[in-house]
Amino acid sequence: MGILKKTLLITFTVVILCVATGAGVVLYYYHHPSKIKPLVEGIVSRSTGTICTIENLSYATEPLRVEATRIRMKPKGNEGFHLEMPFLKAIMVLEGPFGNRTLVVRGLESEGISLRLLPQAELPIWELKPANPSPLARAGTWFVAVLLFRDIRLEA
């Protein structure tokens, strides 16, 4: 076997293993929604500069929807805002061809939202600087873009 064939075989094997691992991770999180909740809480906490807690998180694929109950966002110190939502439901749909899909949020439903701003409250500052993501982050972004969606759109 020539060196080119060995290189192609190794490359193909690595790609297949990466795809299988990614599919396994997606299936694991699909069947274990309780494992997703800490990830969502962490992402929301980091992006808003607050401590976010969600009592219950559920999702389904037919129709594509996400439901969360007792969402609380509070400041890390004594500065910021307190947000409480007893219930939040998002109805979504994936549009477009495979590999170039758009996640369209068709409807958001909530009730009993409470927002309390403290006197020294400051909204989080989002700096949109281009960053150099790690190769693993780039691979994950590509995987999500190809298999799930590339863009998010809110419908009127």
Side-chain angles (χ1 to χ4, degrees):
M1 190 182 284
I3 192 129
L4 180 62
K5 288 183 181 179
K6 286 182 183 178
T7 304
L8 287 176
L9 182 63
I10 290 171
T11 303
F12 182 71
T13 303
V14 167
V15 167
I16 292 295
L17 286 174
C18 288
V19 169
T21 301
V25 167
V26 168
L27 283 174
Y28 176 78
Y29 282 122
Y30 176 75
H31 291 291
H32 298 90
S34 63
K35 304 292 184 187
I36 285 263
K37 188 176 75 130
L39 295 174
V40 172
E41 289 173 341
I43 290 169
V44 172
S45 293
R46 280 191 304 276
S47 64
T48 60
T50 62
I51 298 170
C52 177
T53 58
I54 301 171
E55 185 176 289
N56 188 28
L57 180 69
S58 63
Y59 47 84
T61 56
E62 290 297 325
L64 188 58
R65 66 174 171 73
V66 176
E67 293 181 10
T69 58
R70 295 199 49 161
I71 303 166
R72 291 186 176 153
M73 296 170 61
K74 59 184 181 179
K76 291 183 178 175
N78 289 330
E79 302 174 358
F81 61 93
H82 292 270
L83 174 70
E84 293 186 20
M85 275 190 264
F87 176 76
L88 178 67
K89 179 179 179 181
I91 304 292
M92 300 163 286
V93 66
L94 289 170
E95 291 182 348
F98 184 76
N100 196 19
R101 291 181 177 168
T102 300
L103 178 69
V104 179
V105 179
R106 290 250 165 105
L108 285 173
E109 180 183 326
S110 185
E111 51 189 47
I113 297 174
S114 169
L115 176 64
R116 193 173 54 217
L117 292 172
L118 300 175
Q120 60 275 26
E122 293 181 16
L123 293 177
I125 298 172
W126 292 332
E127 295 182 23
L128 301 176
K129 295 187 276 185
N132 293 328
S134 69
L136 185 60
R138 282 193 300 245
T141 302
W142 176 84
F143 189 73
V144 167
V146 169
L147 295 180
L148 298 176
F149 56 89
R150 292 186 183 268
D151 196 17
I152 299 175
R153 187 176 79 227
L154 296 175
E155 237 179 41

